[in-house]
């Protein structure tokens, strides 16, 4: 009788025939940098895939609530007619601070960061986009309709750096985070 009840005659418990498997990719690969713009970094695959659909669902809920006037204070801003008539605008959902025409007002009565954005903030910190001691306390969600745009600009210096832009829901293949220190 065979004292080994395992019917597999191969004594090696590793089913991988390659004794030297290649290491798995780093969970935090180095960001792409741009020498012409000091401090600018592009992080590919910045958002965990399981978080992305929850972010998109939250944005959809906030838009519906904002359009109905169900978000506090100035959390939601519709595109001004003067700009939307020429497709130069977007809907804005602002948490933690309010901006208008690139002016910052931290006392304008907007909602604080919701849990899903705090989770995004933690994921971006884990990815290296933010340092743990420099986490943002506000977020502006810009929602662009097809064909809408904004001209190039520098965001208000009242926002502490690093300053990050996260793109989701566009035709790009994967979410990205762009940060400038």
């Amino acid at each position: 009788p065979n004292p080994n009840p395992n019917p597999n005659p191969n004594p090696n418990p590793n089913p991988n025939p390659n004794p030297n498997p290649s290491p798995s990719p780093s969970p935090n690969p180095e960001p792409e940098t741009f020498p012409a713009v000091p401090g600018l970094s592009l992080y590919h695959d910045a958002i965990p895939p399981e978080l992305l659909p929850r972010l998109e669902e939250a944005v959809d809920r906030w838009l519906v609530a904002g359009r109905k006037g169900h978000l506090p204070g100035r959390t939601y801003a519709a595109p001004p007619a003067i700009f939307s008539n020429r497709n130069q605008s977007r809907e804005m959902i602002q948490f933690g601070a309010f901006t208008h025409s690139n002016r910052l007002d931290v006392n304008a009565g907007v909602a604080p960061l919701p849990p899903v954005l705090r989770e995004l903030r933690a994921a971006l910190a884990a990815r290296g986009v933010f340092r743990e001691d420099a986490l943002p306390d506000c977020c502006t969600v810009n929602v662009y309709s097809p064909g809408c745009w904004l001209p190039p600009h520098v965001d208000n210096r009242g926002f502490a750096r690093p300053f990050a832009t996260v793109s989701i829901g566009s035709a790009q293949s994967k979410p990205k985070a762009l940060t400038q220190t």
Side-chain angles (χ1 to χ4, degrees):
N2 184 352
N4 182 357
N6 183 353
N8 182 354
N10 183 353
N12 182 357
N14 181 358
N16 184 351
N18 181 353
N20 299 313
S22 61
S24 60
S26 167
N28 293 322
E30 289 296 314
E32 188 176 345
T33 58
F34 304 88
V37 184
L40 185 66
S41 301
L42 177 62
Y43 294 80
H44 297 273
D45 303 323
I47 302 172
E50 64 278 4
L51 181 56
L52 185 59
R54 293 188 11 248
L55 285 167
E56 291 170 333
E57 290 166 5
V59 170
D60 289 341
R61 283 193 316 275
W62 298 329
L63 281 174
V64 169
R67 291 170 183 157
K68 291 180 178 180
H70 296 165
L71 293 177
R74 300 175 82 179
T75 300
Y76 172 80
I82 189 169
F83 294 122
S84 60
N85 290 340
R86 57 183 185 222
N87 289 341
Q88 184 185 334
S89 195
R90 75 281 192 215
E91 290 176 275
M92 295 171 61
I93 308 161
Q94 303 180 81
F95 299 99
F98 175 80
T99 60
H100 176 69
S101 298
N102 210 11
R103 287 185 294 277
L104 176 63
D105 183 353
V106 295
N107 299 311
V110 298
L113 282 178
V116 71
L117 290 180
R118 291 194 307 266
E119 189 175 342
L120 172 63
R121 176 179 66 184
L124 293 175
R127 176 68 176 80
V129 175
F130 297 118
R131 294 185 328 265
E132 288 292 335
D133 65 341
L135 297 176
D137 58 0
C138 59
C139 176
T140 298
V141 178
N142 291 314
V143 181
Y144 295 87
S145 295
C148 287
W149 58 280
L150 283 182
H153 63 280
V154 174
D155 284 294
N156 190 298
R157 287 285 172 195
F159 288 111
R161 291 344 192 219
F163 184 91
T165 298
V166 178
S167 295
I168 65 171
S170 69
Q172 66 189 10
S173 60
K174 294 184 180 180
K176 297 172 177 51
L178 186 66
T179 186
Q180 186 168 15
T181 56

